[in-house]
C-alpha cells in the first residue's frame, strides 16, 4: 500500500502476532458461550430486506419467522421507528419477545473525517447512537470509513488515533465500534490496513468487521485472513458474487446468496472459524432482484444457503 511505509509494515507484523494471543477475558463484552457442534451464529443484516421498506418492527418479525435468532439492524431504520412514536423500551420488549439478539448496528458517523469540525460533529452523533443502542441491548456498532472513501489517503497512525478515540467512547457506553473494511474506499480498503490499525491501537477491545464482498472488491487475498487472528473478529459479513465482474467494476447490488457465485466461501469460513467460540456470520446483500421478492422467502433462503456453505 502506498501509505504503508516500511516502518509501519514491521510494526504491524509484530503487533499482529501479539494480538492473536490476547486473552478473551480482557474484552468488555462477555464471550459467547460455545455451542456443541456449532462454529457459527447465523445473523441477518437488515440490508438484505431493506429495499422492502418494512420498517423496524416488521424487519425483526420477518427475521425471527425465517429462523434467525441474531440480526444486524440499521440505525436510520430504528430512528425512523422512534420518530414515528416508538420508544427504546418498547423496541427492547419487541426484540426480546421475538427471541432475537441485536449483534450489531450499521451506522455511518464520519468519525474518520479529516475536517475537524465534521469529525467533532460525528463523534457527538456516534455517542448518541451508542447510548441509544445500549438501551436495546446492542453492544456493537459498525465503524466504516464513511466520508473518507474518496481520499485523501490518511496515514495509518492517524487512523489508529481516531479509532482509539471511538474505542474509548465505546468502552464508556458499552457499545464497541467494529473497524469496518470497505474494498471500494481509498481508506481502510485492505485487510492489511485494517489489521494494522486494530493492532497498533493496543486496545484488547479493538475488533475488525470484514466482508466477503469487500475482500474481493479491495483485492485483498483470502490467505491474508490467516493473519487476522480469532480475537479480532466478532462478526464477519458473508455473501457471494458472480463470475465475470472485475473487482474494479463490481458494486454493492451485485452481491448474491452464499453458494450462488464464485467466492471461496468454504475456504474463508474455515480460516475465520473460531474453535473457542462461535463466530457471528451475518448475511449482507443489497440485491434489487431480492427486494422484488417476498421478504420472508428471501430471509429463509439466506439462512438456508448460509448453512449450506458453512464448513
Amino acid at each position: 500500500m502506498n501509505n504503508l511505509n516500511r516502518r509501519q509494515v514491521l510494526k504491524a507484523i509484530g503487533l499482529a502476532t501479539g494480538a492473536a494471543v490476547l486473552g478473551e477475558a480482557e474484552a468488555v463484552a462477555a464471550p459467547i458461550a460455545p455451542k456443541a457442534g456449532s462454529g457459527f451464529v447465523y445473523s441477518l443484516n437488515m440490508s438484505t430486506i431493506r429495499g422492502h421498506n418494512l420498517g423496524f418492527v416488521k424487519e425483526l418479525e420477518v427475521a425471527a419467522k425465517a429462523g434467525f435468532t441474531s440480526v444486524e439492524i440499521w440505525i436510520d431504520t430504528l430512528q425512523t421507528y422512534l420518530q414515528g412514536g416508538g420508544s427504546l423500551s418498547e423496541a427492547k420488549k419487541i426484540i426480546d419477545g421475538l427471541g432475537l439478539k441485536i449483534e450489531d448496528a450499521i451506522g455511518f458517523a464520519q468519525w474518520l473525517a479529516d475536517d475537524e469540525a465534521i469529525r467533532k460533529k460525528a463523534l457527538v452523533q456516534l455517542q448518541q447512537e451508542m447510548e441509544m443502542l445500549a438501551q436495546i441491548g446492542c453492544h456493537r456498532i459498525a465503524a466504516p470509513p464513511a466520508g473518507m472513501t474518496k481520499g485523501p489517503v490518511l496515514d495509518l497512525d492517524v487512523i489508529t488515533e481516531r479509532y482509539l478515540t471511538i474505542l474509548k467512547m465505546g468502552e464508556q457506553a458499552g457499545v464497541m465500534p467494529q473497524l469496518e473494511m470497505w474494498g471500494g474506499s481509498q481508506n481502510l480498503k485492505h485487510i492489511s490496513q485494517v489489521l494494522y490499525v486494530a493492532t497498533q491501537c493496543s486496545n484488547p477491545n479493538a475488533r475488525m468487521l470484514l466482508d466477503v464482498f469487500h475482500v474481493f472488491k479491495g483485492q485483498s487475498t483470502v490467505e491474508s485472513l490467516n493473519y487476522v487472528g480469532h480475537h479480532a473478529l466478532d462478526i464477519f459479513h458473508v455473501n457471494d458474487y458472480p463470475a465475470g465482474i472485475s473487482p474494479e467494476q463490481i458494486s454493492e447490488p451485485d452481491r448474491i446468496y452464499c453458494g450462488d457465485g464464485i467466492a471461496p466461501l468454504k475456504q474463508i469460513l474455515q480460516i475465520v472459524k473460531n474453535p473457542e467460540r462461535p463466530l457471528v456470520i451475518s448475511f449482507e446483500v443489497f440485491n434489487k432482484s431480492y427486494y422484488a421478492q417476498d421478504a420472508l422467502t428471501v430471509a429463509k433462503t439466506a439462512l438456508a444457503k448460509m448453512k449450506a456453505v458453512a464448513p
Side-chain angles (χ1 to χ4, degrees), residues 61-291:
E61 292 173 346
V62 168
K65 192 172 183 179
F68 285 96
T69 56
S70 290
V71 296
E72 287 183 286
I73 62 171
W74 281 53
I75 288 176
D76 63 348
T77 306
L78 173 59
Q79 290 172 330
T80 299
Y81 162 77
L82 296 174
Q83 292 164 3
S87 68
L88 293 173
S89 59
E90 179 185 69
K92 182 67 164 62
K93 289 179 181 178
I94 292 170
I95 293 164
D96 292 344
L98 291 170
L100 292 173
K101 180 178 181 181
I102 312 298
E103 299 287 357
D104 186 31
I106 307 302
F108 303 98
Q110 297 183 36
W111 62 275
L112 190 54
D114 221 20
D115 184 294
E116 187 175 0
I118 293 176
R119 190 169 66 256
K120 286 183 176 179
K121 183 178 179 180
L123 294 181
V124 172
Q125 174 189 339
L126 187 57
Q127 181 68 43
Q128 293 171 342
E129 291 173 350
M130 287 176 170
E131 292 172 355
M132 177 177 64
L133 293 172
Q135 293 185 58
I136 63 169
C138 176
H139 299 293
R140 302 184 186 97
I141 185 171
M148 292 300 293
T149 60
K150 296 182 180 179
V153 176
L154 299 176
D155 184 275
L156 292 180
D157 286 329
V158 171
I159 298 178
T160 299
E161 180 182 355
R162 293 175 187 173
Y163 179 54
L164 186 56
T165 295
I166 65 173
L167 263 183
K168 292 178 179 177
M169 290 169 54
E171 288 173 341
Q172 293 179 351
V175 179
M176 301 308 301
Q178 313 289 293
L179 187 65
E180 186 170 13
M181 182 183 77
W182 278 0
S185 173
Q186 290 296 311
N187 290 287
L188 299 179
K189 69 177 297 177
H190 299 296
I191 290 174
S192 57
Q193 295 170 328
V194 183
L195 178 60
Y196 177 88
V197 173
T199 55
Q200 178 68 356
C201 69
S202 300
N203 185 308
N205 291 309
R207 295 292 187 275
M208 300 164 57
L209 180 55
L210 304 180
D211 184 307
V212 172
F213 169 85
H214 286 299
V215 170
F216 178 70
K217 177 69 176 175
Q219 301 184 61
S220 291
T221 65
V222 170
E223 288 74 20
S224 62
L225 288 167
N226 286 293
Y227 297 96
V228 172
H230 295 124
H231 175 86
L233 296 174
D234 283 351
I235 300 177
F236 197 96
H237 286 167
V238 296
N239 38 61
D240 211 330
Y241 44 83
I245 308 180
S246 69
E248 294 81 8
Q249 296 299 318
I250 201 165
S251 62
E252 300 284 359
D254 295 318
R255 301 178 186 221
I256 53 180
Y257 289 124
C258 296
D260 285 4
I262 61 168
L265 283 166
K266 287 189 179 293
Q267 179 187 2
I268 289 172
L269 292 177
Q270 189 62 57
I271 292 173
V272 300
K273 185 176 183 179
N274 191 338
E276 301 297 327
R277 58 184 173 89
L279 174 69
V280 177
I281 54 174
S282 190
F283 185 71
E284 183 185 56
V285 298
F286 303 84
N287 194 300
K288 293 180 180 179
S289 69
Y290 298 170
Y291 293 157

